[in-house]
Amino acid sequence: MTFDLLKTDEASKARAGKVTTDHGVIETPIFMPVGTVASVKGVHQRELKNDINPDIILGNTYHLYLRPQTDILEKAGGLHKFMNWDRNILTDSGGYQVYSLSANRKIKEEGVKFKSHIDGSYHFFTPENVMEIQRSIGADIIMAFDECTPYPCDYHYAKRSMHMTHRWLDRCIAHLDKVPVKYGYNQTLFPIVQGSTYKDLRKQSAEFIASRDALGNAIGGLSVGEPAEEMYAMTEVVTEILPEDKPRYLMGVGTPINILENIALGVDMFDCVMPTRNARNGMLFTAHGTINIKNRKWAEDFSPIDEMGITFVDTEYSKAYLRHLFSVNELLGKQIATIHNLGFYMWLVREARKHILAGDFYAWKNMMVKQMDKRL
């Protein structure tokens, strides 16, 4: 994997770059749709490619390990072939999913014992076998095994957890070298910065991660309930330290406003379930604010979903029609809303890139944040 930094905004730390892997070019800043179980919920791969058009999507190691299981993925030739996706894929390490199973897991130095949410069976993740699982899945970018701490988090617990994440990283790096790639293309490991919302811990962790000289780096443990101001403060601490010539991935973030503010702090890559999850509940993101399409006020509004025509569905369907689909619980409504939201997120990061390259990102970002912070 290579990363070319093309331009940095003069009024902020926003960057436009280009990541190149064996599955193609990723123009940054980028948003990665979440394909948890080898599927972006409710969207055909054809629509992903033609209508949303991301350079990269994300899969979840924990979920893919449980279903369909790695032996089936290996027989298929890896996740790309299994789901018929010929562009880039990133997999997380399972650390966040294990964190979310707080009542059903036990963390030790060796690894994490957890109970499957599907059938109650017990499993054990270690830094070593998570590297093996991600080799079997076959994503282009894979994540080191880490512990994601909750919010709020006791300082001493956060410190112990951070140091264990660092030890786990060294185990990941050592073991990955022993496990050959399976499908004829390269995989790139990203370490993960932790440290909860403590600036001194975030600084320590960023310095440790930077010292490992990986080809890219991730920031974890944010967007777990902390106020947005704390997220931005922690991100700023970390991006001041992580090397400029490597891509930076902020995990699990976030709202359109979160994404623009973190781009301004020097982040290059994002993922979040929010656009798809909110879409299924009737919440649409637009350049002028959010729409709850279930509201009665849209019942006779025959204007396009978004007058800007950011995605193909915006001009084909009216607000009244989409509201009708939700009111009768028609699955097509959720699909249209999902494609709209994902399309809007892709438009947003691509517009950000254009404005970084044009040299007016900061003013555009401030205008967009003000516009989007409304309920329509």
Side-chain angles (χ1 to χ4, degrees), residues 285-302:
F285 296 104
T286 80
H288 299 285
T290 55
I291 294 172
N292 182 348
I293 203 65
K294 294 180 180 180
N295 285 349
R296 178 71 182 81
K297 67 185 289 187
W298 309 115
E300 298 181 17
D301 188 329
F302 304 106

Side-chain angles (χ1 to χ4, degrees), residues 15 21 33 37 43 73 85 101 146 166 171 182 191 202 207 230 251 276 290 354 368:
R15 300 131 55 88
T21 78
V37 289
V43 182
L73 290 172
W85 181 254
L101 296 168
D146 66 325
H166 294 169
R171 287 167 58 186
K182 293 181 181 288
R202 285 284 172 181
E207 288 170 346
E230 290 201 41
M251 305 177 76
T276 49
T290 55
K354 287 178 188 174
M368 285 297 297

Side-chain angles (χ1 to χ4, degrees), residues 286-344:
T286 80
H288 299 285
T290 55
I291 294 172
N292 182 348
I293 203 65
K294 294 180 180 180
N295 285 349
R296 178 71 182 81
K297 67 185 289 187
W298 309 115
E300 298 181 17
D301 188 329
F302 304 106
S303 66
I305 295 170
D306 184 344
E307 281 82 353
M308 290 181 69
I310 286 167
T311 75
F312 92 96
V313 298
D314 295 338
T315 52
E316 290 200 352
Y317 306 109
S318 69
K319 296 182 183 76
Y321 178 64
L322 186 54
R323 181 190 180 275
H324 160 71
L325 294 179
F326 271 91
S327 70
V328 297
N329 200 28
E330 167 55 54
L331 291 176
L332 179 61
K334 296 181 180 183
Q335 188 176 27
I336 290 171
T338 298
I339 293 170
H340 164 81
N341 274 357
L342 287 174
F344 174 72

Side-chain angles (χ1 to χ4, degrees), residues 1-2 18-27 54-56 80 86-89 140-141 185-186:
M1 191 196 84
T2 61
K18 183 174 73 171
V19 175
T20 306
T21 78
D22 291 342
H23 276 101
V25 172
I26 305 162
E27 293 188 335
D55 300 325
I56 180 171
H80 288 86
D86 59 3
R87 300 182 188 180
N88 289 284
I89 299 175
D140 302 276
I141 298 172
Y185 53 84
N186 291 304

